[in-house]
Amino acid sequence: MKDYNFGQIERKWQDKWSKDSLYQTQDSEDKPKYYILDMFPYPSGAGLHVGHPKGYIATDIVARMKMLQGYNVLHPMGWDAFGLPAENFAIKNKVHPREMNERNIATFKSQLEKIGFSYDWNREINTTDPEFYKWTQWIFLQMFKKGLAYESYEPINWCPSCQTGLANEDLEDGRCERCDSEIEQKPMRQWVLKITDYAERMLNDLEKLPEWDNSIKEMQKNWIGKSEGALVKFEVRISNFDSNSNDLISENKNLKLNIEVFTTRIDTIFSAAFVVVAPEHRLIEKLKEQIENYDEVIDYVKKAKNKTDLQRTDLEKDKTGVELKGIKAINPANNKEIPVWIADFVLGYYGTGAVFADAHDERDFEFAKKYNIPLTESIAPLFTGTCNDKPRKDKKTVKRRNIEAIIKHWEKDEYFCLNWKFNNWKSFIIGGIEKDESIEDAAIREIKEESGYQNMKVIKNIGYEMHSEFFAPHKDINRYAQRNCVYIELLDGEYKKPRLEDIKNHNGSWIKKEEVDKFLTIKESKISWDILQNGEKPFTKKGILINSEQFNGMTSDEAMPKIIEWLRKKGLAEKEVNYKLKDWVFSRQRYWGEPIPIIHCEKCGVVPVPEKDLPVVLPEVESYEPTGTGESPLANIKDWVNTKCPKCDGKAKRETNTMPQWAGSSWYYLRYIDPHNDKALVDKDKEKYWSPVDFYVGGAEHATRHLIYARFWHKFLFDIGMVNYEEPFIKLQHVGLIMAEDGRKMSKRWGNVINPDDIVEEFGADAMRVYEMFMGPFAQSCDWSTKGLIGAKRFLEKVWRLFQEKELISCEGKCAEISKTIPPLFHKTIKKVGEDIESMNFNTAISQMMIFVNECSCHKLLPKSAMENFLILLSPFAPHIAEEIWTNLGHEKSIFLEKWPEFNPNMIKNKIIEMVIQVNGKVRDKIQVSADISETEIKKKALASEKIQKYISNQEIKKVIFVPGKIFNLVVE
RNA sequence: GCCCGGAUGGUGGAAUUGGUAGACACAAGGGACUUAAAAUCCCUCGGUAGUAAUACCGUGCGAGUUCAAGUCUCGCUCCGGGCACCA
């Protein structure tokens, strides 16, 4: 008997497959295509750890299955090799990044090859290859021509350690994603791509991607961050005519200055109590003369500028601001004059850099409290049924204004509460407000009537107006109540017995402070109590409009479009949409990237490099060190930088900034289709055949970076007719990370990295492949366990022995005579394995194969055809062992040229099944019956069972539930 | 704070979408083979009670719907991920 010598077998087949070009993809075949893609790796110096191949194994399994199912499969691999780590390493070790790259790629490739992937290495690409980045530059030029690439001088994210500008997507919590340094805002010239032009399409087209991982779609939605609202104009008025010269007055008359404000809550406009502008707002400079405390204001602006974004956006810090004295704004809804403030919690780069503030936003509320700015409310919450008392359709609704009074005992820390007799209401004292009565007076009157206590002091109003609609049984009506809450302290115990009529509905009692919250059942009472205990909180949700003139009583959603329309007619507002997504800062002041193909001419200005001159090759430099001046190291190479203008032939300089690492990966998947084309980035016919990518697998960390950028570029390429479909990736699945055995990320830093080479050496590539797929659900992250590998290896050894020890007999339809169990089980296995690969449930596919193998090992004779087909099912997971056994069985051609087996549904159905018999839903017996047994028959059998009789005894059978093939349930109680 | 996921034995995880909870594996314990070890094979393996048959309990917690809930509904708790002064 031959031993399972995986090392020898795996090496042998890897060589043979490569020699036979088994995985070379042909273009124009008559077969349906299947393009399956991995996110190509960045070849770092550390090499691969066992977590990296997880996604590659999955795509390899799918690719091999599709191949066997008769698809023309494109399954390529390449290198995303530009970028900072290679450059930083090169600087440190004085090697050229290109050399570094070549070494790293060689390591990566040899590691991958040992795992036995079916990549077509003829299509290997490398983003740093001039023949590749020629086309990256070409795409940039097309964008430039369409106005989508532009120069900007706005302040951008600057990493002081990497000494380069960065895009928003390159930040993590306000720090550099690469080196963790705090990011500064630095104004500098930079190239920017107008990704915001595509924001709406990128958002909407997510709908066209039903096969994308939902979590990734959600992340993209949040990243694009669309909010719909309105742009509102607040007219600026100068309030200090008297103290200024006549010149100013005349100037002021012509001012007609507005502060434009973006809001998503126009329904709160009537309560807009002040306007806040960001420190960078241009209004400050414009009103230099009119702002009375300009020195103070400019001092605040400077301080804000000196803060990093991280400091400015620290949520913990106290909000600060300065009022612009001498300046007022006009609330466009009610023409009230309101103050204008400057504060750094307002962001200059979002919306218009100015907001209106009111009582319905936590930040505004906090800010107003701190600086004593008076607030009014414009929205009240609406509760429908506050305590199991939903309004009834057949009753009429009566409106009433209510008070609720929280009353504190004159000596003890106890509060007077009501327990209502006819309902589960538990509240403080509640009563109506009579005509012309104030809230406070109503509260005092109600307390006297309902509690009997006479002397008290009103302390304060609590919280905000609340509306509720509920059924009031004691009045037999639906009540629509507008309730305000007052906090009152009793002065002494003087008491007059209440009239019976006033207290017939409830019992009053004193409740200890700590028990009040538990006692109360009515929502409004609980909210008021919470506010009394824990401090004021604004109501920030949508509700019912109050204090809003003609809009009173509408819901927020009803009112918003109406208010916009009303203001729009007056020229004071319009609909507006805002996105969190910012344009893509596309230049890096570093060496190791694609040169931006632009020439700056002294006469003609910015001139694109003519397409015929592409690629603009990255020149050799002596030092790759960043200059830190905002220029890339390329600026030092005089004979490269100095060039002639392609337009006027005059003196000109090359653009010295390079592209970010994300550039090449934004379109690389198209190049695999036609990797050696020197006429176009991809041949049109080939693109039409292969594109879009059918299935894309990679890490979720790319959700808001690579996957956003690639979709943007692809849509642009679609717009200029380079690709045939608007989305690059039809189906997207994210890989769950493999963590180290200690639960941490695998990293040199923790010394917990496991190298796949070692695992392949000790257990074999096939075992590693099977294990990584068996660990758990594919998308879920899980901890590596070298012990767990043993199970995978045992399984493969078992398969090996099966074919060594058992006798395989061809049976020509007589398989049933050899074994009754194998054929049905095998057909079930075909079904399960195929479906599970399709849905990425590799763990259960493997478990099904294990079940099959376990069953086989109980038999001496096995049907040959089933066993051969089983090898085909196994081959995507463990290609080497499958191919070896296949050959040992006498086949000359590769197993991967075979056909994926089909299952026969009739074979799967069991003729005899175990029917579960339940009494009252509990399993009491199991009976072997034929699968198509009728209800009457099973009932007979069930009643005949002693076990069942025991549970039924003499009780009457009230109900019978019969689920054919599954369950029979007798209900006796 | 907001938006997504999750929570099932000692462990990783199954469960045909409401129908036998714990498949498949790992670990552990016991046994067979062996001079011995490794490998392999067999048995046990959610909890409690019992020699056992069996009974009761059991899918983060609390309610609910149903003949029947890991699965559906409502209300919480905890964990993971993303976003975050986004007006």
Side-chain angles (χ1 to χ4, degrees):
Chain A
M1 189 174 105
K2 269 208 285 185
D3 272 347
Y4 169 43
N5 186 339
F6 54 85
Q8 202 188 338
I9 291 170
E10 288 172 3
R11 269 189 301 275
K12 174 174 113 192
W13 285 111
Q14 282 159 18
D15 289 348
K16 182 109 189 349
W17 291 332
S18 161
K19 224 168 61 202
D20 296 350
S21 304
L22 187 64
Y23 307 121
Q24 259 186 50
T25 307
Q26 306 303 319
D27 280 324
S28 47
E29 276 194 60
D30 260 355
K31 293 183 194 171
K33 66 100 183 179
Y34 194 81
Y35 185 0
I36 179 161
L37 183 67
D38 295 298
M39 288 184 188
F40 65 162
Y42 176 82
S44 74
L48 292 171
H49 64 64
V50 286
H52 292 116
K54 183 177 168 189
Y56 307 157
I57 294 169
T59 54
D60 198 58
I61 289 167
V62 177
R64 286 176 188 272
M65 180 181 76
K66 291 284 174 185
M67 224 167 122
L68 287 159
Q69 288 175 338
Y71 287 87
N72 191 23
V73 173
L74 178 55
H75 185 215
M77 184 42 88
W79 316 103
D80 185 18
F82 271 133
L84 278 181
E87 189 174 347
N88 288 339
F89 189 90
I91 291 166
K92 214 166 132 195
N93 298 285
K94 311 263 176 242
V95 230
H96 195 286
R98 183 171 296 112
E99 272 176 51
M100 275 289 312
N101 250 306
E102 277 165 16
R103 259 188 268 162
N104 293 346
I105 288 172
T107 310
F108 266 63
K109 204 167 166 181
S110 96
Q111 285 185 300
L112 290 180
E113 278 173 336
K114 282 182 194 159
I115 303 169
F117 292 124
S118 61
Y119 294 125
D120 176 0
W121 286 109
N122 282 346
R123 293 172 183 258
E124 177 178 355
I125 57 164
N126 181 334
T127 52
T128 67
D129 180 353
E131 286 311 303
F132 180 92
Y133 69 66
K134 172 182 176 179
W135 299 106
T136 313
Q137 291 173 333
W138 182 86
I139 296 171
F140 179 89
L141 286 182
Q142 309 312 308
M143 288 196 166
F144 177 78
K145 282 183 200 162
K146 298 276 177 194
L148 288 168
Y150 62 94
E151 280 182 293
S152 159
Y153 296 84
E154 296 289 304
I156 57 160
N157 306 309
W158 172 263
C159 173
S161 158
C162 297
Q163 304 203 346
T164 183
L166 294 172
N168 255 15
E169 286 79 2
D170 296 320
L171 309 190
E172 245 167 36
D173 297 328
R175 292 172 181 275
C176 173
E177 188 249 340
R178 286 254 164 257
C179 69
D180 210 34
S181 310
E182 246 183 63
I183 293 301
E184 298 165 1
Q185 292 301 305
K186 189 166 172 171
M188 59 190 301
R189 184 188 67 86
Q190 79 246 213
W191 283 95
V192 179
L193 299 187
K194 220 170 177 182
I195 192 170
T196 49
D197 270 17
Y198 284 74
E200 187 67 26
R201 274 168 72 190
M202 291 208 291
L203 185 68
N204 291 339
D205 287 357
L206 288 173
E207 306 286 319
K208 293 183 186 164
L209 301 170
E211 292 188 89
W212 269 44
D213 227 1
N214 243 331
S215 60
I216 291 184
K217 283 202 276 190
E218 282 304 316
M219 279 191 230
Q220 292 213 348
K221 265 185 210 165
N222 290 339
W223 190 261
I224 295 168
K226 181 181 181 178
S227 36
E228 290 176 86
L231 207 57
V232 191
K233 286 177 184 166
F234 282 68
E235 194 190 319
V236 175
R237 278 216 192 127
I238 313 301
S239 57
N240 54 352
F241 299 114
D242 298 340
S243 61
N244 277 282
S245 70
N246 287 340
D247 285 355
L248 185 67
I249 295 172
S250 59
E251 196 184 316
N252 180 53
K253 273 179 188 159
N254 300 328
L255 254 176
K256 262 291 170 198
L257 205 60
N258 289 316
I259 304 177
E260 289 206 317
V261 159
F262 175 69
T263 180
T264 54
R265 289 295 302 275
I266 192 81
D267 55 322
T268 66
I269 186 78
F270 280 89
S271 58
F274 54 109
V275 169
V276 192
V277 300
E280 21 315 69
H281 203 280
R282 50 193 160 69
L283 186 82
I284 313 285
E285 192 55 35
K286 248 187 181 160
L287 295 178
K288 197 172 176 177
E289 301 298 322
Q290 288 83 353
I291 297 172
E292 288 170 5
N293 55 342
Y294 189 73
D295 288 348
E296 193 191 349
V297 169
I298 214 69
D299 191 48
Y300 183 83
V301 171
K302 275 185 193 149
K303 271 188 199 151
K305 263 192 191 151
N306 286 335
K307 285 185 191 172
T308 63
D309 248 25
L310 203 62
Q311 289 166 334
R312 240 185 97 170
T313 59
D314 182 3
L315 283 163
E316 299 305 310
K317 81 159 192 207
D318 230 19
K319 301 206 184 332
T320 59
V322 175
E323 185 177 354
L324 306 184
K325 299 250 169 70
I327 300 290
K328 293 283 178 198
I330 304 301
N331 182 331
N334 53 20
N335 293 318
K336 276 191 189 146
E337 226 175 55
I338 57 176
V340 181
W341 285 68
I342 171 173
D344 68 1
F345 77 84
V346 175
L347 305 170
Y349 53 78
Y350 183 78
T352 59
V355 299
F356 74 71
D358 59 43
H360 301 290
D361 179 281
E362 264 165 63
R363 289 156 306 175
D364 301 348
F365 191 84
E366 189 192 322
F367 193 83
K369 283 277 167 285
K370 181 172 172 185
Y371 291 105
N372 288 317
I373 307 168
L375 294 176
T376 55
E377 286 148 25
S378 59
I379 306 289
L382 173 64
F383 301 114
T384 306
T386 57
C387 173
N388 295 325
D389 50 3
K390 294 242 150 84
R392 295 191 184 167
K393 277 185 189 142
D394 53 331
K395 305 290 176 188
K396 64 171 187 177
T397 299
V398 178
K399 262 195 181 184
R400 190 164 79 147
R401 290 189 60 210
N402 269 350
I403 57 95
E404 179 155 19
I406 302 180
I407 306 141
K408 187 170 180 259
H409 193 270
W410 61 96
E411 275 173 348
K412 293 183 268 184
D413 207 1
E414 291 183 358
Y415 297 82
F416 195 81
C417 297
L418 299 183
N419 190 352
W420 297 71
K421 286 176 185 162
F422 48 81
N423 213 338
N424 190 27
W425 292 352
K426 291 186 173 114
S427 67
F428 300 108
I429 285 183
I430 296 176
I433 301 178
E434 305 293 332
K435 215 184 163 200
D436 299 328
E437 200 177 27
S438 75
I439 291 169
E440 292 79 4
D441 291 346
I444 292 167
R445 180 180 49 72
E446 286 289 344
I447 292 169
K448 285 184 180 168
E449 283 174 14
E450 297 196 1
S451 76
Y453 294 104
Q454 298 300 312
N455 299 323
M456 64 198 81
K457 191 178 150 198
V458 175
I459 307 294
K460 59 180 173 183
N461 288 356
I462 301 287
Y464 38 80
E465 185 172 317
M466 289 182 258
H467 292 199
S468 47
E469 204 174 358
F470 53 89
F471 176 68
H474 59 308
K475 303 265 158 96
D476 196 37
I477 51 164
N478 290 327
R479 172 74 76 207
Y480 185 99
Q482 298 167 236
R483 180 175 306 178
N484 285 82
C485 181
V486 185
Y487 174 54
I488 284 171
E489 289 178 2
L490 291 183
L491 298 171
D492 54 41
E494 190 186 329
Y495 180 82
K496 249 196 224 162
K497 204 173 178 209
R499 290 186 303 166
L500 217 63
E501 190 191 323
D502 284 328
I503 55 166
K504 65 171 190 232
N505 289 329
H506 40 65
N507 301 316
S509 58
W510 289 101
I511 304 287
K512 282 189 192 139
K513 186 182 175 183
E514 17 340 312
E515 283 158 18
V516 170
D517 185 63
K518 247 206 257 159
F519 176 84
L520 297 170
T521 56
I522 290 186
K523 235 182 255 171
E524 296 100 301
S525 311
K526 275 178 175 286
I527 290 172
S528 299
W529 176 249
D530 179 59
I531 288 175
L532 181 65
Q533 297 307 308
N534 302 318
E536 299 261 348
K537 270 170 217 158
F539 175 69
T540 59
K541 292 181 188 142
K542 289 179 183 172
I544 299 295
L545 273 76
I546 56 173
N547 306 322
S548 299
E549 297 173 17
Q550 69 267 43
F551 302 101
N552 282 342
M554 292 184 192
T555 65
S556 293
D557 288 328
E558 282 164 5
M560 283 199 275
K562 290 191 172 131
I563 294 177
I564 293 177
E565 184 53 22
W566 174 62
L567 289 174
R568 195 189 62 79
K569 281 187 183 145
K570 299 203 266 179
L572 293 171
E574 55 197 300
K575 269 195 187 172
E576 173 82 355
V577 173
N578 254 297
Y579 301 91
K580 282 198 241 177
L581 183 74
K582 280 168 69 179
D583 275 342
W584 179 5
V585 173
F586 196 68
S587 33
R588 298 292 177 272
Q589 291 69 45
R590 297 290 301 231
Y591 172 70
W592 192 232
E594 303 88 342
I596 291 177
I598 289 288
I599 289 168
H600 299 272
C601 170
E602 284 177 9
K603 263 196 238 156
C604 317
V606 174
V607 181
V609 171
E611 285 178 23
K612 65 173 172 52
D613 294 342
L614 294 182
V616 177
V617 177
L618 188 61
E620 298 297 319
V621 289
E622 276 169 30
S623 159
Y624 329 108
E625 311 253 354
T627 62
T629 59
E631 287 206 86
S632 94
L634 296 179
N636 294 328
I637 319 170
K638 294 281 171 303
D639 40 336
W640 183 79
V641 172
N642 293 318
T643 186
K644 280 181 180 168
C645 172
K647 258 193 198 164
C648 70
D649 215 29
K651 261 189 163 177
K653 282 183 192 291
R654 285 188 188 279
E655 170 66 54
T656 60
N657 282 335
T658 53
M659 298 187 194
Q661 198 191 340
W662 307 109
S665 59
S666 296
W667 73 279
Y668 76 108
Y669 53 90
L670 291 170
R671 192 62 180 172
Y672 287 128
I673 291 171
D674 194 11
H676 309 296
N677 190 336
D678 57 359
K679 301 277 182 320
L681 72 86
V682 59
D683 176 81
K684 283 225 157 129
D685 289 336
K686 289 182 183 174
E687 193 276 333
K688 208 166 179 189
Y689 175 66
W690 285 112
S691 188
V693 174
D694 294 281
F695 193 12
Y696 196 24
V697 176
E701 69 272 19
H702 290 112
T704 54
R705 297 182 171 97
H706 161 58
L707 287 170
I708 289 260
Y709 294 145
R711 290 184 65 219
F712 163 43
W713 278 36
H714 196 87
K715 285 186 185 304
F716 170 72
L717 292 172
F718 175 79
D719 289 349
I720 62 168
M722 290 303 298
V723 296
N724 75 83
Y725 186 67
E726 309 176 59
E727 284 290 336
F729 316 117
I730 294 298
K731 180 174 172 182
L732 177 80
Q733 172 68 54
H734 82 261
V735 199
L737 290 177
I738 294 183
M739 312 298 267
E741 236 152 336
D742 58 12
R744 291 188 288 202
K745 265 193 183 170
M746 276 194 201
S747 147
K748 247 197 228 165
R749 198 161 129 211
W750 308 118
N752 55 12
V753 176
I754 296 189
N755 189 323
D757 292 358
D758 300 338
I759 299 300
V760 168
E761 185 68 29
E762 196 181 337
F763 298 89
D766 284 337
M768 185 176 104
R769 291 169 63 112
V770 169
Y771 170 62
E772 291 205 4
M773 294 300 101
F774 187 61
M775 288 174 87
F778 181 70
Q780 190 179 297
S781 84
C782 48
D783 298 345
W784 177 265
S785 151
T786 303
K787 267 186 186 167
L789 255 165
I790 292 165
K793 189 161 170 236
R794 275 186 201 150
F795 166 62
L796 294 177
E797 282 167 342
K798 225 171 187 177
V799 172
W800 181 262
R801 274 202 310 276
L802 217 54
F803 284 89
Q804 292 282 317
E805 291 168 2
K806 309 288 175 177
E807 193 180 336
L808 302 190
I809 47 172
S810 47
C811 51
E812 303 297 315
K814 286 187 233 158
C815 287
E817 290 168 28
I818 305 166
S819 156
K820 278 181 186 164
T821 47
I822 300 275
L825 181 62
F826 180 59
H827 281 264
K828 200 176 155 194
T829 304
I830 301 174
K831 180 168 190 275
K832 182 106 180 104
V833 171
E835 287 173 357
D836 283 354
I837 292 176
E838 201 77 50
S839 58
M840 308 290 279
N841 297 119
F842 303 108
N843 53 338
T844 47
I846 292 168
S847 108
Q848 183 62 38
M849 289 192 286
M850 287 172 168
I851 292 169
F852 179 72
V853 169
N854 288 346
E855 176 64 31
C856 287
S857 58
C858 302
H859 298 260
K860 272 186 187 156
L861 304 177
L862 294 169
K864 188 172 183 196
S865 70
M867 296 315 288
E868 287 191 339
N869 277 326
F870 169 74
L871 280 178
I872 298 175
L873 295 185
L874 178 68
S875 68
F877 295 86
H880 311 87
I881 192 176
E883 185 82 292
E884 176 72 11
I885 298 173
W886 184 255
T887 312
N888 290 345
L889 290 174
H891 296 282
E892 279 173 15
K893 275 195 191 159
S894 168
I895 192 169
F896 296 102
L897 301 171
E898 291 300 313
K899 263 178 97 178
W900 190 259
E902 278 173 30
F903 65 91
N904 178 349
N906 293 326
M907 291 291 288
I908 294 171
K909 284 183 200 152
N910 288 326
K911 292 197 179 86
I912 302 293
I913 55 152
E914 194 176 62
M915 177 73 72
V916 171
I917 313 295
Q918 296 183 332
V919 178
N920 294 332
K922 286 190 175 175
V923 182
R924 296 306 183 187
D925 200 5
K926 295 165 187 178
I927 306 179
Q928 298 278 337
V929 295
S930 90
D932 51 3
I933 190 164
S934 71
E935 185 172 340
T936 20
E937 262 179 278
I938 187 69
K939 190 171 179 184
K940 246 187 250 166
K941 287 201 177 188
L943 291 174
S945 154
E946 267 178 50
K947 286 181 188 171
I948 297 301
Q949 274 306 325
K950 208 170 101 191
Y951 287 96
I952 298 177
S953 52
N954 292 324
Q955 296 172 82
E956 181 197 349
I957 295 170
K958 291 196 174 142
K959 203 170 172 183
V960 170
I961 288 110
F962 176 59
V963 183
K966 274 180 192 154
I967 224 158
F968 183 75
N969 187 9
L970 293 162
V971 184
V972 292
E973 58 184 20

